[in-house]
Amino acid sequence: MSHHHKHRQSPSTEQPSQANDFDLIIVGGGLTGSALAVALADTSLRIALVDAHAPSRPPEWPAQWDNRVYAISPGSADLLAQIGCWGHLTNDRLQRVAQMVVSGDSGGVINFSAFDIGTEELAWIVESSEMACELWTTVSRQRNVTCFCPASPVRLQVGDAVAELTLEGGQVLRGKLVVGADGRESWVRQQMGLSSQHDPYNELGVVANFRTELSHFGTAYQWFRADGVLAYLPLAGGAGDDHGKMISMVWSAPEALARELLALPAEELAFRVANAGENKLGQLELMAPAAGFPLKLVRVPQVVAPRVALIGDAAHGIHPLTGHGVNLGFQDVRVLADVIRTARPVDDLGDMRLLSRYQRARREEVVMLQSITDAMRKLFASNAPGLSVLRNVGLSLTDKLTPLKSMLIRYALER
Ligand SMILES: Cc1cc2nc3c(=O)[nH]c(=O)nc-3n(C[C@H](O)[C@H](O)[C@H](O)COP(=O)(O)OP(=O)(O)OC[C@H]3O[C@@H](n4cnc5c(N)ncnc54)[C@H](O)[C@@H]3O)c2cc1C
């Protein structure tokens, strides 16, 4: 068993290579990769972070808002607070979700309220780039992290004592453990031959931000429609009388409809989205062009291999309708950081016994949420006669069954 704090060779001969010796190499400095590095800031671990490009805010920030926003669960917000990041997020870019209204396509409705269960918020709506830039800034100042950016890996070799990662320019990084935080099409996963099962939904998530006529009052709306799942997420923006009059829309739509929506002129798109959302917030005005991204279910049965662990989208892809995507990734970070921290100095961080602890701790939740989300998505996407009635009755019943509802909320809050 090797010790991960050795490497005290003679400086004259070993210096050049020693500079490339790490305990941990993280490939991917997106939300999960950089959060993991930050979570290990107060350890003596030497960390390398490799990414092809640094995150950036929208070009006309702060006037412009990112199209990509997340519903951050209280559990993820806690993690970000513990690692010292939450408090640095720009306060007036954070929106509490006090209430959620979920509607079926023929009248079924469930209301979730933070008040009902004695909390202040069900979730926070935060821009992706706001979090990514904050985490990246922290990482780039972190004493025990060396950032390799822009850099891309070209080769990964796992040996008995160490893994070697070769970068495009020929530089070789050595580490006890390589973490793949490199997203849905993970290069690390492919290099290791870790299998992944891809199930495209033949849908695009169409995202766009709008100004609204009426205030959202911290309410998030979701509609299960015959033509996909539409969500209005409240944004914190808007000054004076316009405060509370901005939303971010996510419409998970069948590909043909999604392409049609993306091709619409601004006013027509706004009109369609307002109508699809029962004009709940009055008229809408598009703030910047919409974007679409393909949705798929990605199952990864093994997320660890000797000297390798996958986190975030590299480890699981999930339909966005239950808003778990990035929250699952942050929980991976929490668990893997704990496993790494509680390792004794004599432990080898790349040891399968250690890594299996991470895999075991995460598997159940990931598999369960993927199945529930997938089943919900299929139920609502189905056109079979009777199903529409069933899902709407189901929604209304759920609203009345308070214990079940509060269980659903608690479950969502713990994430
Ligand atoms: C347009 C869009 C909208 C989304 N909207 C939502 C949403 O509303 N809610 C939600 O929960 N989720 C959403 N998602 C999913 C969400 O973005 C992911 O769950 C989350 O970003 C996963 O974080 P991650 O750190 O695992 O991976 P990523 O954010 O994908 O980060 C991967 C990082 O690795 C780097 N990288 C990848 N490959 C290499 C390589 N070979 N070499 C060097 N660097 C590499 C990339 O540059 C990137 O920085 C959306 C995704 C997209 C694309």
Side-chain angles (χ1 to χ4, degrees), residues 163-222:
E164 286 191 347
L165 185 78
T166 309
L167 303 182
E168 218 163 32
Q171 200 170 11
V172 179
L173 312 182
R174 277 177 295 277
K176 293 290 173 191
L177 173 62
V178 174
V179 173
D182 49 353
R184 203 164 74 166
E185 308 304 326
S186 173
W187 177 88
V188 171
R189 189 178 70 210
Q190 289 167 27
Q191 288 300 301
M192 294 311 296
L194 289 167
S195 70
S196 55
Q197 191 191 321
H198 298 239
D199 243 323
Y201 284 113
N202 305 316
E203 288 181 344
L204 300 184
V206 178
V207 291
N209 297 335
F210 296 92
R211 293 189 192 286
T212 62
E213 188 184 352
L214 307 173
S215 173
H216 54 59
F217 296 110
T219 301
Y221 295 89
Q222 193 173 33

Side-chain angles (χ1 to χ4, degrees), residues 31 55-70 93 125-133 207-210 233 235 246-250 287-289 291:
L31 293 174
S56 60
R57 290 194 163 90
E60 284 160 58
W61 188 87
Q64 199 181 345
W65 286 64
D66 192 353
N67 257 343
R68 200 163 153 184
V69 308
Y70 302 125
R93 311 290 280 199
I125 305 297
V126 190
E127 295 156 286
S128 183
S129 55
E130 177 66 23
M131 284 189 297
C133 290
V207 291
N209 297 335
F210 296 92
L233 306 176
L235 290 179
M246 269 172 55
I247 57 163
S248 183
M249 174 227 21
V250 188
M287 294 170 60

